[in-house]
Amino acid sequence: MRTAVITAAGEVELRRIPVPGVGDSEVLVRIAACGICTMEANLYAGRMAVYPAAAGHEISGWVEQVGATAAGLEDMPAVGSLVTLDGLPRCGACRACRRGQSAICVALQGRVREADGAIAMGAGLADHIVLPASRVWSVGDTDPAVAAMGEPLACVVHSLRRGGFRAGDRVTVIGAGYMGHLHLAVARELGARGVAVVERDEERRTAVAAAGADAAVRPEDIAQLPAADVVFVTIASAECIAAALAAVADGGTIVLFGGAPDGPPADLPGYEVHRRQLTVTGSFSHEPDDWRTAAELLRGGSLSPRLERLVTARYGLDEVEKALQQAAETPVYRVVVTP
């Protein structure tokens, strides 16, 4: 089988390795699609220096083989069925995992390696993958590129959970990029009373309005919006956090979803948070319950038309370098590799 490994900034190798064996509680999947996330784009661009990286963690595929123990499980996807995959490893033993907070497991910090020495960061830019059965989710009949969005959808479900979102809440999303679109779509699907989006770029405001936002405004026009019960900040910047403070209702919650290690410091006014009884929290990655909801959303099918519009380009695995270049160098929603 082929597998892509990012070995340095601007360098990727398409290696030939044996198809891995399947343990009793594992599933072998033939990969159908893998989305290139900001993580892979940053690895290729050199903005995230963790090499060599077996990357690609937004994955869908067809089940080819199910281990003996997994085959007896009630909800195990059948051979031939389309599935979405949780490609990021969790150790199950660190402090975070033992406390039920696997979203911040130490394995997500690049401490686990593949057999060939590459750091395990999804390994979905490949022909096949073997994963524990617990990380394989059936999605029914849909576009494999949409099925590969299970992972970012699980991240967004986790974000809504961290924000205490409930059906009937008013929501404001700061940023109309890919994850901003997904927050809009999931909040709407799960019963938000209204979803507004704040975005400086006019083209992106137009796109998010067409995708169903009740309002799409510039940061300086936030006062036009009704106060939000929950505000999701999908871009890491001091300006966006200031916008969230202006958009949130008294007693509301701000979720810092977007993050950048080298981002500028933000001025969080302690007295305002205290006086207005605001909750400010972070959201990173996902946990098993988030995957269950994400898979249900994909199986339902109603999100598919919105998600299909977010596929910017598709490349074959032999074109993986072109795919990484486009994702790293040009404004996109999602570039997808289809082996």
Side-chain angles (χ1 to χ4, degrees), residues 36 41 44 312-315 320-332 334-335:
I36 295 179
Y44 184 77
T312 303
R314 303 179 192 230
Y315 292 89
V320 65
E321 187 156 15
K322 291 181 181 178
L324 288 164
Q325 285 174 346
Q326 182 173 0
E329 297 172 3
T330 60
V332 296
R334 259 318 171 261
V335 173

Side-chain angles (χ1 to χ4, degrees), residues 120-264:
M121 301 184 77
L125 293 169
D127 290 313
H128 290 85
I129 192 169
V130 169
L131 288 173
S134 60
R135 289 159 55 190
V136 178
W137 301 87
S138 178
V139 294
D141 184 19
T142 190
D143 180 348
V146 169
M149 296 181 187
E151 195 275 342
L153 281 174
C155 289
V156 170
V157 171
H158 187 66
S159 178
L160 266 66
R161 240 180 1 109
R162 295 284 298 165
F165 169 83
R166 295 175 294 182
D169 279 352
R170 289 192 182 276
V171 167
T172 292
V173 180
I174 311 294
Y178 178 70
M179 299 310 298
H181 271 268
L182 291 189
H183 274 82
L184 163 64
V186 175
R188 177 73 74 200
E189 191 72 10
L190 296 182
R193 179 165 43 146
V195 184
V197 179
V198 179
E199 169 61 50
R200 188 165 293 286
D201 183 83
E202 182 178 0
E203 185 175 344
R204 288 194 167 191
R205 286 200 306 274
T206 300
V208 82
D214 293 291
V217 304
R218 301 174 302 169
E220 51 266 39
D221 297 326
I222 285 177
Q224 300 175 7
L225 302 176
D229 301 295
V230 192
V231 178
F232 299 96
V233 182
T234 68
I235 302 172
S237 78
E239 178 190 23
C240 289
I241 293 175
L245 287 165
V248 71
D250 290 354
T253 299
I254 296 171
V255 179
L256 304 182
F257 178 87
D262 56 352

